[in-house]
């Protein structure tokens, strides 16, 4: 009577899904709106930075050789033959014992090879002619920012798939990207299921709870870098549900449903997948929470059936949906970033399944420490508010003690991992 | 001739600015758009979670006492007296050797105190009446999610000033926040200065560079949680500049200028501050890069004069502007988050000033390691693209060696520090 489901190891489940992953199309956005988008092309330097030798300070440009006899006792005096502001070019070649007043960022005049900072000069005017004196010698190159010292023309500066941060914006501006090639944000649809669900603006009534999964998942979709399309809640009528899914699939890149994937009589998703002739890639994963996570494919498009339990839904999204989104956005490391951390407290109850424990991380002298963030049932919602990592505890017969080194997967991260699973799953009993 | 400026220790400069910090006004946004906003009120639980005792599985609700004699040899049979789906309430009290078919999330019927998972039951129908049998005893409480086990009514769940993450969205939905109280995003204005600046869409010409600071700072403003208003580039005419600043101040909460704060003849900012009768809080800071960072106050409003050099501008924003933004957004820890890290490579050149070295962080077995991210002059732009931290090197006569434990300030972080400066500046020679 009850459908028998074969649990898949997490790594295998992820691998099944990643077979459907590919880079999405690109689009151009203005530089002002490029922050947090994902670069769709490698950015190479089409010029040196700086583009010319320039002065890093306000001062005087001189020929260093003219300063060689200067000393505290015997200053050397230069005739000031001009002033050069940033953005302008001094047209003549500077001659012996001549100096040019130069502003920060201005090009070094022809003939000059050193800059004396303004505060180290003495200045006077004789018959309307300005003179500048210095009391120490300078070597060639003093206070000169050389062409190309920061970036050389042709250097690959940033590889595609990177999330654009403020520093990358600065580089894009420097290289003239008024319009920036980025990956188009995939559109991820959400449909909630469950007769018990009220919307947040509805008053509680006995037996019902408010729909937290859909809104939580919307935020996870945005954090992953995609755009949300919310289709509301399923009808109780199966035929209507099938139509809603069909329609939704035509409007989104990926479709998520929350709830309805268990083996209960009121869980419609298996029937919907069957009616659509979608191929169910898996419907049980050897993990806690989220074991009922189901993924189906239809004409190359993925349908994610996440659990109706908040923690299970949250974990399912991060493990299975996020890497697809990050691949569409060009990332070569689309999975959650895996690091090592010390376990912040005992977690002694053994469990045959790999567990993803919602955890809060902090540092002690630079050492990452991960502590379970509270109530850890699959139905928990409170522990998600302070979770910034999952502690991965391989299934087995033993518990885990405080200060053991464990694997953690970081949630607020833009770097990711190429494939975090092998080392984790080899401990699994499955 | 040259104005003599007295450098202030970083901690003192920050303290001067923080005297002007206060929480901003709140506004309400829809739950769908609350992600990444900052909560303006503490969120307390106005109900238990779960709000009633419920079933975490599909199965049968029973009275545990009726199962005590069940064994592999001798099953106990229950009469199935009804079915209860999530969202509904079973109205009668369950009697001896009766069971109710129950779905995940449904309330436990009156009289029942245990749930048997569906897959552990045998089912049959006799003359149209359903029966269920089990082969082991259950104890009171088996497979019941108790009212309030996740969250107790009255608990303070999240404190104001927190950035709203997906887990917090789930809590807000659970507690019926269709509209969420958040701090209004402060508006931060930017004016660029520098005759050498071209916009990103302009072709390079000798002596000029593209304006990277304004766009970079826009992204930093967004990362901090505020909204940008860009006023373009200053005119060369001082009177026009003064009018532009006056006008801008009436439209923004904070105003940033980039460049024009040095002692050079073409640096207008000191004259603008004087013309507006703004109080200059400081115009030199004992730090590298960014020593020319200037901050002035006018009628309680702050004017940030950041350096024209990209790295100096970047550092100045993160140290001085970001904490003001985060205080407006309600954070009790508005400063960059300070942690310890191992230095990833030698940084041997001594410097009398506190240095903020742009760095890339990674982990080795959970230990934070910070490595300078490249070319580190104040004019550098390339090193900013990979920077996710500043290494703080106190000024002094010694260099720093690989694997020394150093202070780092994290850039992509939402937690912050209350006051990161004391331990850092006590090493300073100033």
């Amino acid at each position: 009577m009850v459908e028998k489901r074969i649990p898949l190891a997490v790594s295998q489940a992820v691998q099944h899904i990643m077979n459907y992953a590919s880079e999405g199309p690109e689009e151009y956005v203005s530089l002002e709106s490029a922050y947090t988008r994902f670069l769709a092309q490698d950015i190479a330097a089409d010029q040196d930075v700086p583009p010319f030798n320039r002065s890093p300070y306000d001062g005087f440009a001189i020929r260093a050789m003219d300063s060689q006899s200067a000393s505290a006792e015997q200053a050397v005096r230069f005739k000031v033959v001009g002033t050069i502001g940033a953005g302008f070019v001094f047209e003549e070649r500077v001659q012996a014992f001549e100096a040019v007043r130069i502003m920060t960022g201005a090009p070094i005049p022809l003939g000059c090879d050193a800059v004396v900072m303004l505060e180290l000069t003495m200045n006077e005017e004789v018959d309307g002619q300005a003179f500048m004196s210095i009391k120490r010698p300078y070597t060639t190159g003093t206070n000169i920012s050389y062409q190309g010292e920061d970036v050389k023309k042709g250097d690959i500066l940033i590889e595609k798939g990177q999330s654009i941060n403020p520093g990358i914006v600065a580089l894009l501006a420097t290289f003239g990207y008024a319009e920036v090639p980025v990956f188009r944000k995939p559109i991820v649809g959400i449909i909630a299921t469950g007769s018990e669900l009220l919307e947040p603006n509805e008053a509680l009534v006995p037996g019902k709870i408010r729909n937290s999964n859909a809104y939580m998942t919307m935020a996870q979709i945005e954090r992953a870098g995609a755009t949300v399309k919310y289709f509301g809640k399923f009808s109780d009528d199966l035929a209507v549900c099938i139509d809603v899914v069909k329609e939704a699939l035509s409007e989104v890149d990926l479709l998520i449903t929350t709830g309805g994937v268990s083996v209960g009589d009121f869980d419609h998703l298996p029937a919907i997948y069957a009616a659509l002739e979608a191929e169910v890639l898996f419907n049980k994963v050897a993990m806690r929470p989220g074991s009922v996570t189901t993924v189906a494919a239809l004409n190359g498009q993925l349908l994610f059936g996440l659990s109706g339990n908040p923690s299970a839904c949250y974990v399912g999204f991060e493990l299975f949906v996020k890497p697809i989104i990050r691949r569409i956005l060009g990332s070569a490391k689309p999975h959650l970033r895996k690091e090592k951390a010390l376990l912040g407290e005992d977690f002694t109850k053994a469990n045959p399944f790999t567990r993803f424990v919602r955890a809060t991380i902090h540092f002690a002298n630079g050492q990452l420490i991960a502590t379970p963030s509270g109530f850890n049932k699959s139905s928990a919602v409170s522990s998600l508010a302070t979770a910034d990592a999952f502690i991965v505890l391989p299934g087995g017969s033993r518990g885990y003690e405080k200060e053991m080194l464990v694997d953690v997967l970081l949630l607020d991260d833009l770097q990711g991992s190429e494939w975090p699973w092998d080392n984790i799953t080899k401990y699994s009993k499955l």
Side-chain angles (χ1 to χ4, degrees), chain A:
Chain A
M1 174 180 166
V2 180
E3 176 199 357
K4 184 73 188 161
R5 295 181 174 182
I6 311 298
L8 215 58
V10 177
S11 59
Q12 288 176 286
V14 175
Q15 186 55 62
H16 270 302
I17 297 172
M18 296 310 286
N19 289 336
Y20 290 81
S22 61
E23 257 175 39
E26 69 178 64
E27 63 182 3
Y28 279 77
V29 296
S30 69
L31 184 56
E32 293 93 319
S33 46
Y35 170 60
T36 73
R37 298 297 298 267
F38 290 77
L39 264 182
Q41 295 173 17
D42 292 347
I43 302 296
D46 68 349
Q47 54 161 100
D48 288 329
V49 179
F52 44 82
N53 296 345
R54 69 182 176 195
S55 175
Y57 296 116
D58 282 296
F60 289 90
I62 61 168
R63 307 179 342 152
M65 67 172 83
D66 298 337
S67 72
Q68 293 318 306
S69 68
S71 67
E73 297 73 37
Q74 188 60 52
V76 170
R77 194 170 90 154
F78 293 78
K79 181 179 174 187
V80 179
V81 296
T83 296
I84 167 75
F88 298 92
V89 175
F90 190 76
E91 302 289 355
E92 284 115 65
R93 173 175 281 273
V94 174
Q95 305 297 326
F97 298 99
E98 289 182 351
V100 176
R101 176 79 179 87
I102 190 166
M103 307 301 159
T104 306
I108 305 296
L110 215 62
C112 293
D113 58 359
V115 170
V116 184
M117 291 170 79
L118 187 60
E119 46 269 56
L120 299 178
T121 62
M122 295 156 298
N123 294 271
E124 60 186 325
E125 211 175 289
V126 179
D127 296 338
Q129 172 61 50
F131 291 91
M132 177 280 288
S133 303
I134 53 178
K135 290 189 162 182
R136 49 156 286 202
Y138 288 82
T139 54
T140 289
T142 301
N143 295 332
I144 291 186
S145 290
Y146 282 103
Q147 177 173 345
E149 68 176 10
D150 188 359
V151 179
K152 294 234 177 318
K153 183 174 173 173
D155 286 355
I156 296 281
L157 299 169
I158 320 160
E159 290 180 3
K160 75 170 180 183
Q162 290 244 22
S163 170
I164 296 174
N165 64 27
I168 292 176
V169 169
L171 276 181
L172 291 167
T174 299
F175 293 108
Y177 285 87
E179 303 286 317
V180 183
V182 297
F183 286 104
R184 185 177 68 69
K185 289 187 177 200
I187 300 168
V188 182
I190 304 182
I191 305 174
T193 81
S195 321
E196 75 279 26
L197 298 183
L198 301 167
E199 286 303 298
N201 61 355
E202 294 181 282
L204 273 194
V205 295
K208 305 223 175 200
I209 59 170
R210 294 205 188 83
N211 173 9
S212 58
N213 285 356
Y215 295 90
M216 174 185 81
T217 310
M218 287 184 215
Q220 290 178 285
I221 290 168
E222 281 188 57
R223 179 165 70 181
T227 291
V228 174
K229 185 153 191 154
Y230 183 38
F231 293 93
K233 220 184 73 176
F234 262 150
S235 151
D236 287 333
D237 180 330
L238 183 60
V240 173
C241 293
I242 292 167
D243 284 344
V244 169
V245 169
K246 269 190 197 158
E247 178 66 27
L249 283 171
S250 72
E251 298 177 24
V252 302
D253 295 290
L254 310 171
L255 183 62
I256 293 173
T257 52
T258 64
V261 284
S262 293
V263 292
D265 300 350
F266 295 177
D267 290 310
H268 279 343
L269 266 297
I272 294 171
Y273 298 141
L276 294 169
E277 296 182 11
E279 180 194 357
V280 174
L281 304 181
F282 55 84
N283 58 15
K284 193 161 184 101
V285 186
M287 64 187 249
R288 292 282 185 273
S291 63
V292 297
T293 305
T294 299
V295 180
L298 181 62
N299 303 324
Q301 208 173 359
L302 291 174
L303 293 83
F304 292 88
L306 303 183
S307 168
N309 275 322
S311 282
C313 180
Y314 188 98
V315 170
F317 179 91
E318 297 295 328
L319 299 190
F320 301 116
V321 186
K322 187 175 189 172
I324 291 286
I325 293 175
R326 285 282 165 88
R327 272 302 295 144
I328 292 173
L329 295 170
S331 175
K333 300 198 290 183
H335 303 279
L336 290 176
R337 178 171 170 187
K338 185 174 74 169
E339 298 294 349
K340 295 278 183 193
L342 297 182
L343 194 54
E345 61 183 47
D346 290 351
F347 207 88
T348 50
K349 211 177 149 197
N351 192 305
F353 294 97
T354 300
R355 278 171 297 179
F356 294 89
V357 179
R358 283 72 71 206
T360 306
I361 53 178
H362 74 280
F363 294 94
N365 273 330
Q367 173 65 52
L368 198 57
I369 296 175
T371 307
S373 58
F375 186 68
N376 241 295
K377 281 196 187 176
S378 71
S379 60
V381 62
S382 60
S383 59
L384 298 173
T386 51
D388 37 28
F390 300 145
I391 300 169
V392 186
L393 298 181
S397 53
R398 64 197 177 106
Y400 294 85
E401 283 157 36
K402 184 174 172 172
E403 300 197 340
M404 284 179 79
L405 200 62
V406 292
D407 286 316
V408 292
L409 301 173
L410 306 184
L411 299 172
D412 284 311
D413 166 75
L414 291 162
Q415 290 193 24
S417 286
E418 202 174 318
W419 185 249
W421 299 113
D422 291 328
N423 291 328
I424 289 172
T425 48
K426 79 178 177 193
Y427 301 114
S428 165
K429 299 281 170 189
L430 289 152

